[in-house]
Amino acid sequence: MEYKLQATSPGSEARAGVITTDHGEIQTPIFMPVGTLGSVKGVHTREIRDDIKAQIILGNTYHLYLRPGIEILEKAGGLHKFNGWERPILTDSGGFQVFSLSSNRKLKEEGAYFRSHIDGSKHLFTPEGVVDIQRSIGADIMMALDECAPGTADYDYAKQSLGLTHRWLKRGWDRFNATEGKYGYRQTFFPIVQGCVYPDLRRESAKFVSDLGAEGNAIGGLAVGEPTEQMYDMIEVVNEILPKDKPRYLMGVGTPANILEAIDRGVDMMDCVMPTRNGRNGMIFTRNGIMNMRNKKWEDDFSPLDEGGAAWVDEVYSRAYVRHLFISSELLAMQIASIHNLAFYLWLVGEARKHIIAGDFKAWKTEMVQRVTQRL
């Protein structure tokens, strides 16, 4: 993987760049739709590519390991062949999913023991094993196994957790460098900065991660219960240390405003289930604010869903019709909302990129944050 920094914007840490992988280029800043099980819920691959214009999607090691299983993925020739997506794929290590199973997992030095949420079967994720699984999945970018401490964790727990994460990271990094991909193209490995909301731990982790010299780095353990302003503070602390010539991936974030604020602080890559999950529940994000499509106020509003929006569904379907679909529990409602929200998120980061290159990102961001946070 290669990264080229192309532009910065005055008064901001925002950056525009390009990541080159063997499955294509990614123009940053970028939002990555989440395809946990190899599928972005309710959206066809063609729509992700042509309508939403996604440049990279995510898969999840925990879920793909359990279903369909590594043997099937290897027989298919990797996830790209299995789901028909020809552009880059990033896989989360599954650590966050394992650690969310608080009553069904145990953390040991050797790794994370857990029970499947599907059938209760016992499994072990080690730092080395997670690398091997992601080699079999065939992700262009794979993540290190880490422990994601709660945002409300006390200092002692966060410090102990960080030590385990760093020891696991070294083992995963060694395994990555001792192995090769299975499908004839290059893969890369991102370590993850942890440290909860404690600046000294975040600095320690950012230094440890930077010293590895990986081709890109991730920031984890944010948007997990801590106040938003603390999340922004931790991004600033970490990005003071992470190398400027490598892409920075903020994991699991977030709202349109979160994304703009993260870009302002030097983040290049983001992902979140919010556009699809919230969309399936009737929340529509637009450049002028947020709509709850179940509200009666849209019952006889025959204007476009989002006039001038980024997706074809915005002009084809009225607000009244989409509300009708949600009230009637029609599956089409969830599909329309998912396509719209994802296209909006990709439009938003694309506009951010344009304004970074133009040099007026800061003023544009300030206005956009006010617009995208209001309720319509």
Side-chain angles (χ1 to χ4, degrees):
M1 192 198 80
E2 298 174 358
Y3 173 73
K4 181 179 180 181
L5 179 62
Q6 296 175 311
T8 57
S9 191
S12 170
E13 294 297 315
R15 306 124 57 85
V18 60
I19 298 169
T20 303
T21 76
D22 286 354
H23 280 105
E25 290 187 349
I26 305 159
Q27 294 187 334
T28 63
I30 192 65
F31 178 81
M32 303 178 287
V34 177
T36 302
L37 281 154
S39 160
V40 178
K41 284 184 173 58
V43 186
H44 292 109
T45 297
R46 182 180 64 186
E47 292 166 330
I48 300 168
R49 182 189 65 227
D50 298 339
D51 301 327
I52 296 165
K53 297 180 173 55
Q55 300 173 48
I56 176 174
I57 64 172
L58 266 67
N60 182 265
T61 296
Y62 168 84
H63 289 283
L64 292 168
Y65 162 79
L66 293 176
R67 288 188 303 204
I70 298 309
E71 182 179 354
I72 295 297
L73 288 169
E74 288 185 345
K75 285 182 178 179
L79 184 56
H80 291 89
K81 298 287 187 182
F82 191 57
N83 70 358
W85 178 254
E86 298 176 348
R87 294 178 181 176
I89 294 174
L90 181 150
T91 43
D92 186 356
S93 69
F96 179 81
Q97 285 69 32
V98 168
F99 301 124
S100 68
L101 303 170
S102 56
S103 61
N104 288 313
R105 52 87 169 168
K106 290 185 179 179
L107 305 185
K108 303 284 188 179
E109 191 65 35
E110 58 267 30
Y113 292 87
F114 64 94
R115 288 185 179 272
S116 164
H117 71 287
I118 300 168
D119 59 11
S121 56
K122 295 180 180 179
H123 303 270
L124 169 63
F125 270 1
T126 67
E128 297 85 357
V130 163
V131 169
D132 295 344
I133 293 168
Q134 291 179 94
R135 289 288 196 194
S136 294
I137 293 171
D140 298 271
I141 302 172
M142 61 177 72
M143 308 303 298
L145 181 66
D146 63 337
E147 181 186 1
C148 180
T152 55
D154 63 36
Y155 184 86
D156 289 342
Y157 182 93
K159 186 175 180 62
Q160 182 179 6
S161 170
L162 184 62
L164 181 63
T165 286
H166 285 174
R167 293 191 298 276
W168 281 359
L169 171 55
K170 183 61 168 63
R171 287 166 53 192
W173 177 243
D174 289 345
R175 183 59 155 246
F176 171 76
N177 287 310
T179 57
E180 295 183 357
K182 297 176 181 288
Y183 308 115
Y185 54 85
R186 294 173 295 175
Q187 296 175 281
T188 194
F189 178 97
F190 280 20
I192 303 172
V193 175
Q194 288 288 352
C196 203
V197 295
Y198 303 104
D200 62 323
L201 298 183
R202 284 286 175 178
R203 291 189 183 96
E204 176 187 341
S205 188
K207 178 67 164 57
F208 187 91
V209 161
S210 298
D211 287 348
L212 289 180
E215 294 175 309
N217 301 297
I219 306 168
L222 294 176
V224 289
E226 79 285 355
T228 301
E229 288 305 318
Q230 278 193 311
M231 175 178 74
Y232 296 152
D233 289 345
M234 292 306 99
I235 295 171
E236 292 178 10
V237 165
V238 168
N239 281 346
E240 288 175 358
I241 297 171
L242 290 181
K244 297 185 183 299
D245 60 346
K246 307 284 181 67
R248 302 159 175 166
Y249 163 34
L250 178 62
M251 306 178 73
V253 178
T255 67
N258 291 159
I259 285 172
L260 292 175
E261 295 292 357
I263 292 171
D264 190 21
R265 289 161 172 80
V267 169
D268 307 294
M269 307 164 70
M270 292 138 288
D271 77 285
C272 190
V273 297
M274 189 171 285
T276 47
R277 179 179 291 171
N278 289 33
R280 293 194 301 274
N281 288 293
M283 180 178 286
I284 298 289
F285 298 98
T286 78
R287 66 191 71 192
N288 293 311
I290 303 167
M291 296 189 293
N292 179 350
M293 299 314 299
R294 296 183 182 276
N295 284 352
K296 190 173 177 60
K297 68 183 295 184
W298 312 120
E299 184 177 32
D300 59 354
D301 185 340
F302 301 105
S303 61
L305 179 62
D306 186 19
E307 189 167 4
W312 64 271
V313 297
D314 297 330
E315 299 290 345
V316 171
Y317 300 114
S318 71
R319 298 174 180 185
Y321 179 63
V322 174
R323 179 186 183 273
H324 157 70
L325 294 177
F326 272 109
I327 295 299
S328 304
S329 299
E330 285 289 327
L331 295 178
L332 182 58
M334 295 185 281
Q335 187 175 22
I336 291 170
S338 295
I339 292 171
H340 162 78
N341 281 348
L342 287 171
F344 167 71
Y345 269 60
L346 267 295
W347 171 84
L348 186 67
V349 294
E351 288 297 298
R353 177 181 167 85
K354 291 177 184 177
H355 286 278
I356 293 168
I357 293 171
D360 63 350
F361 171 81
K362 193 74 171 183
W364 173 83
K365 183 222 77 170
T366 301
E367 177 188 352
M368 283 303 300
V369 166
Q370 294 177 345
R371 287 171 59 182
V372 299
T373 54
Q374 63 185 353
R375 295 277 176 166
L376 299 179

